[in-house]
Structures are given as C-alpha cells and as structure tokens.
Amino acid sequence: MDEKQLIIRWGIIGCGDVTERKSGPAYQKVSGFALKAVMRRDAEKAADYARRHGVEKYYADADALINDPEIDAVYIATPPDTHKFYALKVAQAGKPCCIEKPMAPNYDDCVAITEAFDARKLPLFVAYYRRSLPRFLQVKQWIEEGRIGSARHIHWNLTKVASETDLSGVYNWRTDAAIAPGGYFDDLASHGLDLFVYFFGSVTQAHGISLNQQGLYTAKDAVAATWLHNTGVTGTGSWNFGTLKREDEVSIYGSKGTIKFAVFEEVPLTLITEAGTEELIIPHPENIQLYHVENMQKHLAGILKHPSTGHTGAHTNWIMDNILGTL
C-alpha cells in the first residue's frame, strides 16, 4: 500500500504525563497517522487534553474508545498493571496496538498479550522507542562496523537520588510492588536492557540480586545483575535508587575499543580506540517517541519491520523477571 494513502486513526487510552510531549504529539506529526480520540477515567481531564492538543474526541470509558468504528488502532499509555486488561480488549476488537513500556508487570502477562494478538494476526508494538532514536542507532552502527572489534562485555551503572515523593511516602504507582515489582528498575532499567538486546541479540541467561534497602516503598530499590546474550556478549548492571547523586553510564568493551554513552542523559557518545577518542552529540527530537511512531507507520504500510514488537517487549520482561527472581 502506498505510504501516503494509509491513514490510520489512533486513540489513546490514558492521556497522562507521558503523552503530553513524549508521545501524543508524534501521532499527530507522522504522515499517515491521525490522533482521533483520547480516553481518561476523569472526563474533565480527558476533555482538557483533547482541547489543548486539538483532538476531536474524548472518552471516560475505554470500551467506548476501543469499539469506536472511527478508531483504527489503540495506544495504551496507562500504568503497567492495566496493560493486559486493555490490550486483550483491543485484540478482541481486531485493532493494532502499541503498549507503553514495560509491557506488563510480569512475563506471563506479556505472553498472554502476545498470544492474543498473534492469534488474530494483529500488529503489536511496545514503546521501547530508543530502538528508533538516531543517538542509539549510531552506537549500533559503530558496533556493526567493527569500530571496537568484537564486542565482549557491556556494563551499565544507573543511580538515582531518592526524590521528595519517595521520602514523603506519597503514593507513586512506579514504586508500588503490585504494579512495578522492581520499582524504578522496571520503569527505567527496562529501557536499557531492551536496547542492549537490540545491540547484541536475545538474552539466554539472566541472574540478579534485588532488595529494598531504604524501606521507603514496597517495590525494590536496589538491583545488581549479570546476563549473557546469544552472541556471547556478557553483561552486568547495577541500579540503585537511593544514592547521593544521579549517574548513568554504559560502557561497551570490545577487542579493539570501547564505547561509552548514557541511556537517559544527553551526554556525548564516546568511541575510544587506538586511533584516539571520537565524540558525537546527537540530540533527541522534541517528541522523543517521534521516530518510534514513524516506524510504526512504515511497518503498517509494509515498508519495514518495526524494531520493537510485542515479542521483543515480552523478552525484556523475561530478562527483568529473571533478574528480580520473580519468574
């Protein structure tokens, strides 16, 4: 089908913070897509979002949006504990779907979701948008070009200061063990682990130690892990969410060089070889999910295969569950 002729009308379930700038506007900017409707349980907030973003329809009932004949595809941007509930409804309605990351609170739910979409031969995407960002595609290119020789090992250290919300005890679903067993690990580490799979292939083994050191909330706040990619690349990571300062550094060690970058911070990409050190600054787009959404449009138009599907998203959950010991 001609890319210009494919117009897919999207509806968003859960038009909260992540959809304000990161994702929502991308569905309006990408040629071939239109953002037709949004849903939020609070009707006033849904109406406000629709008004501010120029969206034609709004709902307080997810079923009404999912079953709206003018909605062709659905983006689920609610907390992870509701992803399976809504995704199965979207699959039953026979519509393509994009689910926010992490795909679900556990691997079993991810499997149930992917099976539902596979059974109906429906496209399913997960919003691991870093797989589509030029910044990380440059890292992948360096690896594939052999700029560091054969990749041997990857290590990621991520630390975060306990926030005022953490210290106050105010409820935050991101640190509620019923929704996110690993706390910020689920929310943040999932991005990097998924990206590393994109670089080096599926993970065949993953092990970890996880605990709650601070006692500020019910989810884990400290995690350390080791893993093995099917290409023979080994990996280690440490994530702690109660330290003095924020740190975010990934090092990829190869037989002839090293690549350093950050998953979240917009610091330069650094390539270190015998020839010297090369640095590149590649900024993110205004709407960070823009290229992810653009690649969904191209996938649905039959132009390319999207790098982040339900199956790749489920695999990331499998890795996290093994690290947390919850599988």
Side-chain angles (χ1 to χ4, degrees):
M1 184 179 294
D2 190 296
E3 183 179 355
K4 293 181 180 178
Q5 293 178 347
L6 182 66
I7 302 296
I8 295 179
R9 300 163 296 182
W10 284 82
I12 299 177
I13 297 176
C15 52
D17 290 345
V18 72
T19 68
E20 287 286 348
R21 185 164 180 259
K22 288 184 176 181
S23 61
Y27 288 83
Q28 297 171 305
K29 291 181 178 181
V30 168
S31 176
F33 277 2
L35 181 55
K36 184 78 171 180
V38 294
M39 174 270 166
R40 195 164 177 171
R41 287 178 297 177
D42 186 320
E44 288 187 10
K45 289 182 177 179
D48 176 65
Y49 185 99
R51 176 186 56 78
R52 288 185 293 104
H53 290 273
V55 179
E56 180 182 336
K57 297 182 177 183
Y58 66 89
Y59 294 100
D61 175 17
D63 288 338
L65 182 145
I66 292 169
N67 295 304
D68 184 336
E70 292 189 325
I71 297 301
D72 304 308
V74 179
Y75 166 38
I76 300 171
T78 56
D81 63 324
T82 59
H83 288 181
K84 176 185 173 184
F85 176 76
Y86 290 127
L88 295 183
K89 288 176 177 285
V90 176
Q92 183 62 36
K95 299 180 179 183
C97 183
C98 178
I99 303 175
E100 258 306 326
K101 44 60 57 186
M103 187 174 171
N106 58 73
Y107 177 64
D108 288 345
D109 281 0
C110 294
V111 170
I113 295 169
T114 55
E115 287 180 346
F117 280 83
D118 285 348
R120 299 180 69 89
K121 295 181 171 57
L122 292 167
L124 175 62
F125 311 99
V126 181
Y128 284 115
Y129 52 82
R130 279 170 172 75
R131 289 181 178 230
S132 296
L133 283 171
R135 171 183 175 80
F136 301 110
L137 294 178
Q138 177 62 63
V139 174
K140 194 171 192 293
Q141 181 178 326
W142 279 342
I143 296 166
E144 293 174 347
E145 289 175 347
R147 298 291 298 276
I148 60 169
S150 297
R152 305 294 194 202
H153 181 77
I154 183 167
H155 175 74
W156 182 22
N157 178 60
L158 179 70
T159 62
K160 178 178 175 292
V161 181
S163 69
E164 290 185 8
T165 299
D166 298 335
L167 296 170
S168 71
V170 172
Y171 180 76
N172 178 3
W173 67 261
R174 288 179 174 82
T175 53
D176 181 344
I179 297 176
Y184 293 118
F185 173 81
D186 290 358
D187 189 36
L188 302 176
S190 59
H191 271 296
L193 292 169
D194 183 82
L195 185 64
F196 305 158
V197 168
Y198 189 48
F199 290 161
F200 300 118
S202 299
V203 168
T204 59
Q205 299 178 46
H207 312 277
I209 299 169
S210 60
L211 68 157
N212 185 307
Q213 292 180 330
Q214 303 174 85
L216 298 176
Y217 37 74
T218 58
K220 305 292 181 67
D221 63 10
V223 181
T226 60
W227 64 88
L228 174 66
H229 293 273
N230 62 5
T231 51
V233 175
T234 56
T236 54
S238 57
W239 305 267
N240 195 291
F241 303 104
T243 58
L244 175 64
K245 62 179 182 177
R246 181 182 177 95
E247 294 182 1
D248 175 11
E249 182 175 89
V250 177
S251 297
I252 300 174
Y253 301 97
S255 60
K256 296 181 179 180
T258 302
I259 298 171
K260 292 183 178 291
F261 65 96
V263 174
F264 298 103
E265 304 299 321
E266 290 194 62
V267 298
L269 307 174
T270 305
L271 174 65
I272 305 166
T273 65
E274 288 184 349
T277 299
E278 179 181 341
E279 288 192 346
L280 280 180
I281 297 174
I282 303 177
H284 292 321
E286 177 186 7
N287 310 113
I288 202 165
Q289 292 198 24
L290 179 65
Y291 298 118
H292 162 78
V293 176
E294 188 175 79
N295 282 339
M296 286 198 296
Q297 193 280 331
K298 291 178 179 178
H299 180 114
L300 294 172
I303 297 169
L304 55 73
K305 179 176 173 57
H306 198 283
S308 182
T309 65
H311 288 280
T312 63
H315 182 61
T316 298
N317 266 85
W318 180 87
I319 299 167
M320 294 193 295
D321 281 10
N322 274 277
I323 290 172
L324 295 174
T326 56
L327 189 64

